[in-house]
Amino acid sequence: MIRKEIKKDFDMADCGIRNLLDRVGDKWSLMIMDILGSDGTLRFSELDHKIESISQKMLTVTLKSLETDGLINRKMYPQIPPKVEYSLTDLGRTLLPAITMLKNWAVESMPAILEARSRMESKKNI
C-alpha cells in the first residue's frame, strides 16, 4: 500500500518532490544557493569567480531558474554599466538547513562512497 502511494506521488506531473529534485538536483543550484547563503548578496561576476568551473551561460541559466522558482532575488540597478545583484529570498533561506545537512553528509560519507565504488570496480575487473 505504501509503495503504491509513493509511486503515485512521484508519477504526478506536478509532483512537488519531483519538481524540487529537478531544481536542486542539477549541477549548480545547490552550490549557488550555498554560496549566497554564506556570502550574502553577490554580483554576477563575484558568483562567476567563486564557481571557477561554471560557464557564464550556465550561471545565467541557473540563476534565472532559481529566480523563477522564487529561491533567489535579482536586483538590477539602473546605471551604466548595469549592476545586478543576487541574494536568497526568504523561501530560499528556508532551504539552507537542508543544503547544509546534505553537504555535511556528503563530506562525512565520501570515504565510504569511494570505498564502495572501488569495490565495484574491482568486481568488474574480475
Side-chain angles (χ1 to χ4, degrees):
M1 178 70 173
I2 293 173
R3 187 173 186 180
K4 283 184 180 180
E5 289 173 12
I6 291 171
K7 187 174 187 317
K8 179 184 170 196
D9 287 343
F10 278 91
D11 285 342
M12 294 171 34
D14 60 352
C15 171
I17 294 170
R18 281 178 75 183
N19 285 323
L20 176 65
L21 290 177
D22 283 346
R23 167 60 42 240
V24 298
D26 70 23
K27 189 172 180 178
W28 304 110
S29 291
L30 288 181
M31 184 181 296
I32 290 169
M33 291 186 66
D34 186 48
I35 290 168
L36 290 173
S38 61
D39 293 353
T41 301
L42 295 173
R43 296 180 69 175
F44 182 92
S45 60
E46 293 170 319
L47 280 166
D48 190 35
H49 285 109
K50 288 183 178 288
I51 311 171
E52 296 173 5
S53 56
I54 193 170
S55 69
Q56 288 189 347
K57 179 180 180 183
M58 187 50 63
L59 180 55
T60 299
V61 167
T62 306
L63 288 169
K64 222 174 263 262
S65 295
L66 290 169
E67 182 186 13
T68 299
D69 288 348
L71 299 173
I72 65 168
N73 287 313
R74 178 181 186 269
K75 185 173 183 180
M76 187 168 174
Y77 296 89
Q79 64 187 53
I80 297 176
K83 178 181 174 184
V84 179
E85 293 179 335
Y86 296 91
S87 61
L88 291 178
T89 62
D90 290 340
L91 180 62
R93 279 189 285 283
T94 67
L95 192 53
L96 284 178
I99 292 171
T100 300
M101 192 166 45
L102 186 58
K103 188 169 79 171
N104 291 341
W105 179 88
V107 169
E108 292 169 10
S109 302
M110 192 49 62
I113 292 168
L114 293 174
E115 184 179 321
R117 288 178 184 172
S118 180
R119 281 195 309 271
M120 284 302 283
E121 275 302 309
S122 296
K123 287 180 183 179
K124 287 180 186 177
N125 295 328
I126 295 177

